Amino acid sequence: MNPTGLELPPLAAAFVFGLLGGAHCIGMCGGIMSALTFAVPPSMRQPARLAGLLLGYNLGRVTSYMCAGVLAATLGTLVGIAPGARLTLQVIAATMLILMALYIADWWKGLLRLEALGRHLWRHLEPLGRHLMPVVTLPQAVALGAVWGWLPCGLVYSMLAWSLATADPLQGLMLMGAFGLGTLPALLATGLIARRLGTLIRHPATRTLAALAIIAFALWQLWAVLPTGTMDHGPMNGHAGH
C-alpha cells in the first residue's frame, strides 16, 4: 500500500493534526469567531442564522487552506524536478511536523516565528475583510472566511510544507482539506462545550500524547525516505520508486 496516495492514513493524520491543534485555534481564532458573531446586526442574531454564518466562515477558511495546499503542491512539482530536491522537501516537511508537535506540547514556540512570513500578505488582505463587515448574508460570510483563511498561522504552514513535499496538487488539496476539517470542532464549539473542549485539548497529558504521536509519524516518514529506509514506500512519495 502506498501511504501517500489519497488513502485513509495520511488524510486521517492530517485531520488529527488539525484536531490536536485545536488549542492553538481556540486561542488564535476564537476571538475572531466572537468578533464576527458580534459584527452581525443584533436584529439578525437568530440561532439558525448565526449557525449558517458560522458554517459559512469556516467553509471559506477551509477552502482557502485547500487552495493554498494546491499552490504549495504545484510549487513542489516544479522544485521536485531538480535532482535530490524531492528528498529535501520530504525531510523539510517531516521537520515541520516535529516543530508542530513541539508547539502543541508547549515545549518550544519557535514555530510561531514562521507566522511573521505571512504578515506581509495579511496586511494586504485584512482591509478586504473589513470591507465585508458587518456580515448579513451567507456569501459574505464565505468570502470573509476565505480572507480569514490566509491569516498567518504556524500550524497551517507546517501542513503546507507537507503539501509542498507531496508535489501533487490533488494530494495537497485533500491534505489541507482534511486538516481544515480537523480544526472545525474547536472553532464551531460554543459556550460550555467550547470550555470543556479547550480544557481537554490544553491538558498537559493530552498535548504530550498528541506531540509524541506527531513526532512518531514524522520519524516514520523520515525513516521511509532516507537511505536507511525504504524509498519505494516513502510516506511523502506519491509514486513508487521515486
Side-chain angles (χ1 to χ4, degrees):
M1 180 182 69
N2 176 13
T4 61
L6 299 179
E7 299 161 351
L8 179 60
L11 297 183
F15 177 84
V16 171
F17 294 163
L19 186 64
L20 296 177
H24 178 71
C25 293
I26 291 173
M28 185 173 186
C29 299
I32 296 176
M33 292 295 292
S34 297
L36 293 177
T37 299
F38 284 110
V40 176
S43 61
M44 298 182 178
R45 291 182 190 169
Q46 298 87 356
R49 178 183 289 272
L50 286 178
L53 295 178
L54 191 64
L55 290 173
Y57 294 142
N58 284 283
L59 174 62
R61 178 177 61 87
V62 175
T63 299
S64 287
Y65 289 172
M66 295 170 74
C67 291
V70 171
L71 293 175
T74 300
L75 177 60
T77 64
L78 301 177
V79 176
I81 296 174
R86 188 67 178 276
L87 176 61
T88 300
L89 291 178
Q90 292 166 336
V91 172
I92 290 174
T95 301
M96 290 292 290
L97 291 180
I98 292 174
L99 295 181
M100 180 198 291
L102 296 178
Y103 172 82
I104 288 176
D106 203 19
W107 293 334
W108 188 61
K109 297 290 188 180
L111 187 61
L112 296 181
R113 298 174 186 172
L114 292 176
E115 293 178 0
L117 298 177
R119 289 175 188 163
H120 298 292
L121 174 63
W122 181 243
R123 279 201 290 266
H124 295 288
L125 292 177
E126 186 180 16
L128 297 177
R130 285 200 297 266
H131 288 315
L132 291 168
M133 298 176 69
V135 175
V136 295
T137 67
L138 182 59
Q140 273 184 293
V142 174
L144 185 55
V147 174
W148 171 23
W150 297 95
L151 182 73
C153 175
L155 297 183
V156 173
Y157 295 162
S158 294
M159 292 304 302
L160 286 177
W162 190 6
S163 297
L164 175 71
T166 66
D168 183 324
L170 181 58
Q171 288 190 43
L173 180 144
M174 296 293 286
L175 284 172
M176 292 306 296
F179 170 77
L181 290 177
T183 65
L184 287 181
L187 291 179
L188 291 178
T190 58
L192 181 60
I193 296 176
R195 288 193 293 273
R196 288 181 175 176
L197 180 61
T199 299
L200 175 62
I201 293 175
R202 287 191 292 268
H203 193 282
T206 303
R207 296 170 77 108
T208 297
L209 289 174
L212 292 176
I214 294 173
I215 290 172
F217 183 84
L219 292 178
W220 170 61
Q221 291 181 343
L222 288 174
W223 176 85
V225 301
L226 292 177
T228 55
T230 305
M231 292 294 292
D232 289 341
H233 295 85
M236 290 291 194
N237 201 334
H239 304 282
H242 284 212

